[in-house]
Amino acid sequence: MAYALLFLRVVVGLTLFAHGAQKLFGWWEGPGQAGTRGWLHSMGFRLPAVMALLVGLGEGSGLLFALGLVTPLAALVMATAMVVAIGSVHLPKGWWLSKGGYEYNLVLWAVAVAVAGTGPGRFSIDRAIGWDDNISGVWWGVGALALSLLTGLFILTALRKQPAPQEAA
């Protein structure tokens, strides 16, 4: 099980970290902060500069997840980023990723929540420094699930402008 958790953490964590690095630094043909700021502004997010940084850091937390360092916190931040991504971009496009849907984001959210509940496993920095016994278990998973949904919904409602009502034709 320890090798399986390590494999899962590293693949999912580094994948999400790469998405965050695209938004933070423009690596791997990413938009960087300026492009991310413009994209968030176009979707109606308030404080797009702050949000661009938070989006990049949220996805960038995948590096902590991959390392198994403060794993439940990294999982919570990753899960929240996926809730916001689903709610702001992917939900209206349906299930299938091939049509821009949310299946991929939902899988990443589920992995983050599940690892918050199981803990990072034997091959993690949390284990090496003796934290894993204190920051893992079912209630950490439940907390990551609930807080990611609540925080994501807050971001989607309070930090996003409501579209102007359409006039009747």
Side-chain angles (χ1 to χ4, degrees):
M1 185 167 93
Y3 293 104
L5 275 171
L6 174 65
F7 181 73
L8 184 68
R9 277 195 356 259
V10 168
V11 170
V12 170
L14 291 181
T15 298
L16 202 55
F17 167 74
H19 281 275
Q22 286 182 306
K23 292 173 180 82
L24 284 171
F25 311 118
W27 295 354
W28 302 296
E29 301 175 22
Q33 281 289 282
T36 303
R37 189 170 43 251
W39 174 61
L40 292 167
H41 177 74
S42 74
M43 288 194 304
F45 280 97
R46 301 175 195 277
L47 307 168
V50 173
M51 289 299 296
L53 180 62
L54 291 176
V55 167
L57 291 174
E59 293 179 356
S61 68
L63 183 59
L64 295 174
F65 190 80
L67 294 169
L69 178 60
V70 292
T71 305
L73 177 61
L76 171 61
V77 174
M78 287 170 51
T80 301
M82 292 303 97
V83 169
V84 174
I86 290 169
S88 62
V89 177
H90 302 286
L91 191 62
K93 298 174 183 173
W95 172 259
W96 300 112
L97 178 63
S98 60
K99 297 184 185 223
Y102 59 90
E103 65 173 311
Y104 168 73
N105 305 91
L106 184 63
V107 169
L108 293 178
W109 177 79
V111 167
V113 169
V115 172
T118 62
R122 181 174 18 152
F123 303 111
S124 66
I125 294 175
D126 286 344
R127 170 70 62 95
I129 59 180
W131 285 0
D132 65 322
D133 286 338
N134 299 321
I135 58 172
S136 64
V138 68
W139 290 110
W140 288 92
V142 170
L145 186 151
L147 284 174
S148 69
L149 291 173
L150 290 172
T151 306
L153 291 173
F154 172 79
I155 291 167
L156 289 167
T157 56
L159 300 179
R160 195 169 182 198
K161 299 172 192 167
Q162 297 302 314
Q166 298 288 333
E167 288 188 33

Short mmCIF file of all heavy atoms in Angstrom, two decimals, residues 58-112:
data_model
loop_
_atom_site.label_atom_id
_atom_site.label_comp_id
_atom_site.label_asym_id
_atom_site.label_seq_id
_atom_site.Cartn_x
_atom_site.Cartn_y
_atom_site.Cartn_z
N GLY A 58 -2.76 27.36 -5.42
CA GLY A 58 -3.66 26.24 -5.13
C GLY A 58 -3.26 25.00 -5.91
O GLY A 58 -3.16 23.90 -5.34
N GLU A 59 -3.03 25.17 -7.19
CA GLU A 59 -2.60 24.03 -8.00
C GLU A 59 -1.15 23.68 -7.69
O GLU A 59 -0.77 22.51 -7.72
CB GLU A 59 -2.80 24.33 -9.48
CG GLU A 59 -4.27 24.44 -9.85
CD GLU A 59 -4.50 24.76 -11.31
OE1 GLU A 59 -3.53 24.98 -12.06
OE2 GLU A 59 -5.68 24.77 -11.72
N GLY A 60 -0.35 24.68 -7.38
CA GLY A 60 1.05 24.45 -7.03
C GLY A 60 1.22 23.64 -5.76
O GLY A 60 2.27 23.03 -5.54
N SER A 61 0.17 23.58 -4.92
CA SER A 61 0.24 22.77 -3.71
C SER A 61 0.39 21.29 -4.04
O SER A 61 0.69 20.48 -3.15
CB SER A 61 -1.00 22.99 -2.84
OG SER A 61 -2.16 22.47 -3.47
N GLY A 62 0.22 20.95 -5.30
CA GLY A 62 0.47 19.58 -5.72
C GLY A 62 1.90 19.13 -5.41
O GLY A 62 2.14 17.94 -5.18
N LEU A 63 2.84 20.06 -5.36
CA LEU A 63 4.22 19.71 -5.02
C LEU A 63 4.29 19.21 -3.57
O LEU A 63 4.95 18.19 -3.28
CB LEU A 63 5.16 20.90 -5.23
CG LEU A 63 6.63 20.63 -4.97
CD1 LEU A 63 7.16 19.52 -5.86
CD2 LEU A 63 7.44 21.91 -5.18
N LEU A 64 3.61 19.90 -2.65
CA LEU A 64 3.57 19.44 -1.26
C LEU A 64 2.90 18.07 -1.16
O LEU A 64 3.34 17.19 -0.41
CB LEU A 64 2.81 20.44 -0.38
CG LEU A 64 3.45 21.81 -0.21
CD1 LEU A 64 2.50 22.73 0.56
CD2 LEU A 64 4.79 21.70 0.49
N PHE A 65 1.84 17.89 -1.93
CA PHE A 65 1.11 16.63 -1.97
C PHE A 65 2.03 15.50 -2.45
O PHE A 65 2.07 14.42 -1.86
CB PHE A 65 -0.09 16.78 -2.91
CG PHE A 65 -1.08 15.66 -2.89
CD1 PHE A 65 -2.03 15.57 -1.89
CD2 PHE A 65 -1.09 14.72 -3.90
CE1 PHE A 65 -2.98 14.56 -1.89
CE2 PHE A 65 -2.04 13.70 -3.91
CZ PHE A 65 -2.98 13.62 -2.90
N ALA A 66 2.79 15.76 -3.52
CA ALA A 66 3.70 14.76 -4.07
C ALA A 66 4.78 14.38 -3.05
O ALA A 66 5.15 13.21 -2.93
CB ALA A 66 4.35 15.27 -5.35
N LEU A 67 5.26 15.36 -2.31
CA LEU A 67 6.30 15.11 -1.31
C LEU A 67 5.74 14.49 -0.03
O LEU A 67 6.50 13.94 0.76
CB LEU A 67 7.00 16.42 -0.95
CG LEU A 67 7.82 17.08 -2.05
CD1 LEU A 67 8.24 18.48 -1.63
CD2 LEU A 67 9.03 16.22 -2.40
N GLY A 68 4.43 14.60 0.15
CA GLY A 68 3.84 14.12 1.40
C GLY A 68 4.18 15.04 2.55
O GLY A 68 4.47 14.58 3.66
N LEU A 69 4.13 16.33 2.31
CA LEU A 69 4.44 17.33 3.33
C LEU A 69 3.18 18.13 3.64
O LEU A 69 2.57 18.67 2.73
CB LEU A 69 5.55 18.26 2.86
CG LEU A 69 5.96 19.38 3.81
CD1 LEU A 69 6.46 18.81 5.14
CD2 LEU A 69 7.03 20.25 3.18
N VAL A 70 2.80 18.20 4.91
CA VAL A 70 1.53 18.78 5.34
C VAL A 70 0.41 18.31 4.41
O VAL A 70 -0.37 19.09 3.88
CB VAL A 70 1.56 20.32 5.51
CG1 VAL A 70 2.45 20.71 6.65
CG2 VAL A 70 1.98 21.05 4.24
N THR A 71 0.36 17.02 4.25
CA THR A 71 -0.50 16.39 3.24
C THR A 71 -1.97 16.79 3.34
O THR A 71 -2.57 17.12 2.32
CB THR A 71 -0.32 14.86 3.28
OG1 THR A 71 1.07 14.57 3.13
CG2 THR A 71 -1.11 14.19 2.18
N PRO A 72 -2.61 16.78 4.52
CA PRO A 72 -4.02 17.17 4.54
C PRO A 72 -4.25 18.61 4.10
O PRO A 72 -5.24 18.91 3.44
CB PRO A 72 -4.45 16.98 5.99
CG PRO A 72 -3.41 16.13 6.60
CD PRO A 72 -2.15 16.36 5.84
N LEU A 73 -3.34 19.51 4.44
CA LEU A 73 -3.47 20.90 4.00
C LEU A 73 -3.30 20.99 2.49
O LEU A 73 -4.08 21.66 1.81
CB LEU A 73 -2.45 21.79 4.71
CG LEU A 73 -2.44 23.26 4.28
CD1 LEU A 73 -3.79 23.91 4.57
CD2 LEU A 73 -1.32 24.01 4.97
N ALA A 74 -2.28 20.33 1.95
CA ALA A 74 -2.09 20.32 0.50
C ALA A 74 -3.30 19.73 -0.19
O ALA A 74 -3.77 20.25 -1.21
CB ALA A 74 -0.82 19.54 0.14
N ALA A 75 -3.84 18.64 0.36
CA ALA A 75 -5.02 18.01 -0.23
C ALA A 75 -6.22 18.95 -0.19
O ALA A 75 -6.98 19.03 -1.16
CB ALA A 75 -5.32 16.71 0.52
N LEU A 76 -6.39 19.66 0.91
CA LEU A 76 -7.51 20.60 1.02
C LEU A 76 -7.39 21.71 -0.02
O LEU A 76 -8.37 22.06 -0.69
CB LEU A 76 -7.55 21.21 2.43
CG LEU A 76 -8.53 22.37 2.63
CD1 LEU A 76 -9.96 21.94 2.35
CD2 LEU A 76 -8.38 22.94 4.02
N VAL A 77 -6.20 22.26 -0.18
CA VAL A 77 -6.00 23.35 -1.15
C VAL A 77 -6.23 22.82 -2.57
O VAL A 77 -6.90 23.48 -3.38
CB VAL A 77 -4.61 23.98 -0.98
CG1 VAL A 77 -4.32 24.99 -2.06
CG2 VAL A 77 -4.49 24.62 0.40
N MET A 78 -5.71 21.64 -2.87
CA MET A 78 -5.93 21.04 -4.19
C MET A 78 -7.42 20.80 -4.43
O MET A 78 -7.94 21.11 -5.50
CB MET A 78 -5.20 19.70 -4.29
CG MET A 78 -3.70 19.81 -4.41
SD MET A 78 -2.87 18.19 -4.25
CE MET A 78 -3.73 17.17 -5.42
N ALA A 79 -8.10 20.22 -3.45
CA ALA A 79 -9.52 19.91 -3.59
C ALA A 79 -10.33 21.18 -3.79
O ALA A 79 -11.24 21.22 -4.63
CB ALA A 79 -10.00 19.13 -2.37
N THR A 80 -10.01 22.23 -3.06
CA THR A 80 -10.72 23.50 -3.22
C THR A 80 -10.51 24.06 -4.61
O THR A 80 -11.46 24.54 -5.25
CB THR A 80 -10.26 24.51 -2.15
OG1 THR A 80 -10.51 23.96 -0.85
CG2 THR A 80 -10.97 25.85 -2.30
N ALA A 81 -9.28 23.99 -5.11
CA ALA A 81 -9.00 24.46 -6.47
C ALA A 81 -9.84 23.70 -7.49
O ALA A 81 -10.34 24.29 -8.46
CB ALA A 81 -7.51 24.32 -6.79
N MET A 82 -10.05 22.41 -7.27
CA MET A 82 -10.84 21.61 -8.20
C MET A 82 -12.32 21.96 -8.12
O MET A 82 -13.02 22.00 -9.13
CB MET A 82 -10.62 20.12 -7.97
CG MET A 82 -9.22 19.65 -8.33
SD MET A 82 -8.75 20.00 -10.05
CE MET A 82 -7.81 21.52 -9.89
N VAL A 83 -12.82 22.25 -6.92
CA VAL A 83 -14.22 22.67 -6.78
C VAL A 83 -14.44 23.97 -7.55
O VAL A 83 -15.42 24.12 -8.29
CB VAL A 83 -14.61 22.84 -5.29
CG1 VAL A 83 -15.96 23.53 -5.15
CG2 VAL A 83 -14.61 21.49 -4.59
N VAL A 84 -13.51 24.91 -7.42
CA VAL A 84 -13.64 26.19 -8.13
C VAL A 84 -13.52 25.97 -9.64
O VAL A 84 -14.28 26.56 -10.42
CB VAL A 84 -12.60 27.21 -7.62
CG1 VAL A 84 -12.64 28.48 -8.45
CG2 VAL A 84 -12.86 27.53 -6.14
N ALA A 85 -12.60 25.12 -10.06
CA ALA A 85 -12.46 24.85 -11.49
C ALA A 85 -13.74 24.22 -12.06
O ALA A 85 -14.21 24.61 -13.14
CB ALA A 85 -11.26 23.93 -11.74
N ILE A 86 -14.29 23.28 -11.33
CA ILE A 86 -15.53 22.65 -11.80
C ILE A 86 -16.65 23.68 -11.88
O ILE A 86 -17.34 23.79 -12.89
CB ILE A 86 -15.93 21.47 -10.87
CG1 ILE A 86 -14.95 20.31 -11.05
CG2 ILE A 86 -17.36 21.03 -11.14
CD1 ILE A 86 -15.09 19.22 -10.00
N GLY A 87 -16.82 24.45 -10.81
CA GLY A 87 -17.92 25.41 -10.76
C GLY A 87 -17.80 26.58 -11.71
O GLY A 87 -18.80 27.11 -12.19
N SER A 88 -16.58 26.99 -12.01
CA SER A 88 -16.41 28.19 -12.84
C SER A 88 -16.18 27.88 -14.32
O SER A 88 -16.48 28.71 -15.17
CB SER A 88 -15.24 29.03 -12.32
OG SER A 88 -14.03 28.31 -12.39
N VAL A 89 -15.67 26.70 -14.64
CA VAL A 89 -15.31 26.41 -16.03
C VAL A 89 -16.00 25.16 -16.57
O VAL A 89 -16.59 25.18 -17.64
CB VAL A 89 -13.77 26.23 -16.16
CG1 VAL A 89 -13.38 25.84 -17.58
CG2 VAL A 89 -13.04 27.49 -15.73
N HIS A 90 -15.95 24.07 -15.85
CA HIS A 90 -16.25 22.76 -16.43
C HIS A 90 -17.69 22.28 -16.27
O HIS A 90 -18.18 21.53 -17.13
CB HIS A 90 -15.29 21.72 -15.86
CG HIS A 90 -13.87 22.06 -16.11
ND1 HIS A 90 -13.28 21.93 -17.35
CD2 HIS A 90 -12.91 22.56 -15.30
CE1 HIS A 90 -12.02 22.31 -17.28
NE2 HIS A 90 -11.77 22.71 -16.05
N LEU A 91 -18.38 22.64 -15.23
CA LEU A 91 -19.73 22.12 -14.97
C LEU A 91 -20.70 22.36 -16.13
O LEU A 91 -21.40 21.43 -16.55
CB LEU A 91 -20.28 22.69 -13.66
CG LEU A 91 -21.54 22.04 -13.14
CD1 LEU A 91 -21.31 20.57 -12.82
CD2 LEU A 91 -22.02 22.76 -11.88
N PRO A 92 -20.75 23.57 -16.68
CA PRO A 92 -21.70 23.79 -17.78
C PRO A 92 -21.40 22.97 -19.04
O PRO A 92 -22.27 22.80 -19.89
CB PRO A 92 -21.55 25.28 -18.10
CG PRO A 92 -20.83 25.88 -16.95
CD PRO A 92 -20.05 24.79 -16.31
N LYS A 93 -20.20 22.42 -19.13
CA LYS A 93 -19.81 21.67 -20.33
C LYS A 93 -20.09 20.19 -20.21
O LYS A 93 -19.78 19.42 -21.11
CB LYS A 93 -18.33 21.92 -20.63
CG LYS A 93 -18.06 23.39 -20.91
CD LYS A 93 -16.60 23.67 -21.07
CE LYS A 93 -16.38 25.16 -21.29
NZ LYS A 93 -14.96 25.50 -21.30
N GLY A 94 -20.66 19.78 -19.08
CA GLY A 94 -21.03 18.38 -18.90
C GLY A 94 -19.90 17.53 -18.31
O GLY A 94 -18.89 18.04 -17.85
N TRP A 95 -20.10 16.24 -18.36
CA TRP A 95 -19.21 15.28 -17.72
C TRP A 95 -17.90 15.08 -18.46
O TRP A 95 -16.84 15.08 -17.88
CB TRP A 95 -19.95 13.94 -17.61
CG TRP A 95 -19.10 12.81 -17.14
CD1 TRP A 95 -18.55 11.84 -17.91
CD2 TRP A 95 -18.69 12.54 -15.81
NE1 TRP A 95 -17.82 10.96 -17.14
CE2 TRP A 95 -17.90 11.38 -15.83
CE3 TRP A 95 -18.90 13.16 -14.58
CZ2 TRP A 95 -17.33 10.82 -14.69
CZ3 TRP A 95 -18.33 12.60 -13.45
CH2 TRP A 95 -17.56 11.46 -13.51
N TRP A 96 -17.94 14.89 -19.77
CA TRP A 96 -16.78 14.41 -20.52
C TRP A 96 -15.70 15.45 -20.72
O TRP A 96 -15.96 16.55 -21.19
CB TRP A 96 -17.22 13.85 -21.88
CG TRP A 96 -18.17 12.71 -21.71
CD1 TRP A 96 -19.49 12.69 -22.05
CD2 TRP A 96 -17.90 11.44 -21.13
NE1 TRP A 96 -20.04 11.48 -21.71
CE2 TRP A 96 -19.09 10.70 -21.14
CE3 TRP A 96 -16.76 10.85 -20.57
CZ2 TRP A 96 -19.17 9.41 -20.64
CZ3 TRP A 96 -16.84 9.56 -20.08
CH2 TRP A 96 -18.04 8.85 -20.13
N LEU A 97 -14.48 15.07 -20.40
CA LEU A 97 -13.32 15.94 -20.58
C LEU A 97 -13.15 16.35 -22.04
O LEU A 97 -12.76 17.48 -22.33
CB LEU A 97 -12.05 15.23 -20.09
CG LEU A 97 -10.73 15.97 -20.25
CD1 LEU A 97 -10.75 17.25 -19.42
CD2 LEU A 97 -9.57 15.09 -19.85
N SER A 98 -13.47 15.46 -22.96
CA SER A 98 -13.30 15.76 -24.38
C SER A 98 -14.17 16.94 -24.82
O SER A 98 -13.89 17.56 -25.84
CB SER A 98 -13.64 14.53 -25.23
OG SER A 98 -14.98 14.12 -25.01
N LYS A 99 -15.18 17.27 -24.03
CA LYS A 99 -16.02 18.44 -24.33
C LYS A 99 -15.79 19.56 -23.33
O LYS A 99 -16.60 20.47 -23.21
CB LYS A 99 -17.49 18.02 -24.34
CG LYS A 99 -17.77 17.01 -25.43
CD LYS A 99 -19.23 16.68 -25.51
CE LYS A 99 -19.38 15.59 -26.54
NZ LYS A 99 -20.47 15.76 -27.43
N GLY A 100 -14.68 19.48 -22.59
CA GLY A 100 -14.37 20.49 -21.58
C GLY A 100 -15.04 20.25 -20.25
O GLY A 100 -15.06 21.14 -19.40
N GLY A 101 -15.59 19.06 -20.05
CA GLY A 101 -16.34 18.74 -18.85
C GLY A 101 -15.46 18.52 -17.63
O GLY A 101 -14.25 18.69 -17.65
N TYR A 102 -16.09 18.08 -16.56
CA TYR A 102 -15.46 18.08 -15.24
C TYR A 102 -14.95 16.73 -14.77
O TYR A 102 -14.47 16.61 -13.63
CB TYR A 102 -16.41 18.66 -14.20
CG TYR A 102 -17.73 17.93 -14.06
CD1 TYR A 102 -17.88 16.88 -13.16
CD2 TYR A 102 -18.83 18.31 -14.83
CE1 TYR A 102 -19.08 16.23 -13.03
CE2 TYR A 102 -20.04 17.65 -14.70
CZ TYR A 102 -20.16 16.62 -13.80
OH TYR A 102 -21.36 15.97 -13.67
N GLU A 103 -14.96 15.70 -15.58
CA GLU A 103 -14.56 14.37 -15.10
C GLU A 103 -13.14 14.36 -14.53
O GLU A 103 -12.89 13.78 -13.47
CB GLU A 103 -14.71 13.31 -16.19
CG GLU A 103 -13.79 13.51 -17.37
CD GLU A 103 -13.82 12.36 -18.37
OE1 GLU A 103 -13.71 11.20 -17.96
OE2 GLU A 103 -13.96 12.64 -19.57
N TYR A 104 -12.19 15.00 -15.20
CA TYR A 104 -10.80 15.03 -14.76
C TYR A 104 -10.67 15.76 -13.42
O TYR A 104 -10.03 15.27 -12.49
CB TYR A 104 -9.97 15.74 -15.83
CG TYR A 104 -8.56 16.11 -15.42
CD1 TYR A 104 -7.58 15.14 -15.27
CD2 TYR A 104 -8.22 17.45 -15.21
CE1 TYR A 104 -6.29 15.49 -14.91
CE2 TYR A 104 -6.93 17.80 -14.85
CZ TYR A 104 -5.97 16.82 -14.70
OH TYR A 104 -4.70 17.17 -14.35
N ASN A 105 -11.33 16.90 -13.30
CA ASN A 105 -11.25 17.68 -12.06
C ASN A 105 -11.90 16.94 -10.89
O ASN A 105 -11.41 17.02 -9.77
CB ASN A 105 -11.93 19.04 -12.24
CG ASN A 105 -11.34 19.78 -13.40
OD1 ASN A 105 -11.84 19.65 -14.51
ND2 ASN A 105 -10.29 20.54 -13.17
N LEU A 106 -12.97 16.22 -11.17
CA LEU A 106 -13.63 15.45 -10.13
C LEU A 106 -12.72 14.32 -9.63
O LEU A 106 -12.65 14.06 -8.42
CB LEU A 106 -14.95 14.88 -10.64
CG LEU A 106 -15.78 14.13 -9.61
CD1 LEU A 106 -16.21 15.05 -8.47
CD2 LEU A 106 -17.00 13.50 -10.28
N VAL A 107 -12.00 13.68 -10.54
CA VAL A 107 -11.06 12.63 -10.13
C VAL A 107 -9.95 13.21 -9.26
O VAL A 107 -9.59 12.64 -8.23
CB VAL A 107 -10.49 11.89 -11.37
CG1 VAL A 107 -9.32 10.99 -11.00
CG2 VAL A 107 -11.58 11.09 -12.05
N LEU A 108 -9.40 14.36 -9.65
CA LEU A 108 -8.36 14.99 -8.83
C LEU A 108 -8.90 15.37 -7.46
O LEU A 108 -8.22 15.20 -6.45
CB LEU A 108 -7.79 16.22 -9.54
CG LEU A 108 -7.00 15.95 -10.82
CD1 LEU A 108 -6.55 17.27 -11.43
CD2 LEU A 108 -5.83 15.03 -10.58
N TRP A 109 -10.12 15.89 -7.41
CA TRP A 109 -10.75 16.23 -6.14
C TRP A 109 -10.88 14.98 -5.26
O TRP A 109 -10.54 15.00 -4.08
CB TRP A 109 -12.13 16.86 -6.39
CG TRP A 109 -12.91 17.18 -5.16
CD1 TRP A 109 -12.74 18.26 -4.34
CD2 TRP A 109 -13.96 16.41 -4.59
NE1 TRP A 109 -13.64 18.20 -3.30
CE2 TRP A 109 -14.41 17.08 -3.44
CE3 TRP A 109 -14.58 15.22 -4.96
CZ2 TRP A 109 -15.43 16.60 -2.64
CZ3 TRP A 109 -15.61 14.74 -4.16
CH2 TRP A 109 -16.02 15.43 -3.02
N ALA A 110 -11.36 13.87 -5.85
CA ALA A 110 -11.55 12.63 -5.10
C ALA A 110 -10.22 12.09 -4.58
O ALA A 110 -10.14 11.62 -3.44
CB ALA A 110 -12.25 11.59 -5.98
N VAL A 111 -9.18 12.15 -5.38
CA VAL A 111 -7.86 11.68 -4.94
C VAL A 111 -7.38 12.51 -3.75
O VAL A 111 -6.89 11.97 -2.76
CB VAL A 111 -6.84 11.71 -6.10
CG1 VAL A 111 -5.42 11.53 -5.59
CG2 VAL A 111 -7.17 10.65 -7.13
N ALA A 112 -7.50 13.81 -3.86
CA ALA A 112 -7.04 14.69 -2.77
C ALA A 112 -7.78 14.40 -1.48
O ALA A 112 -7.17 14.26 -0.42
CB ALA A 112 -7.20 16.15 -3.18
#
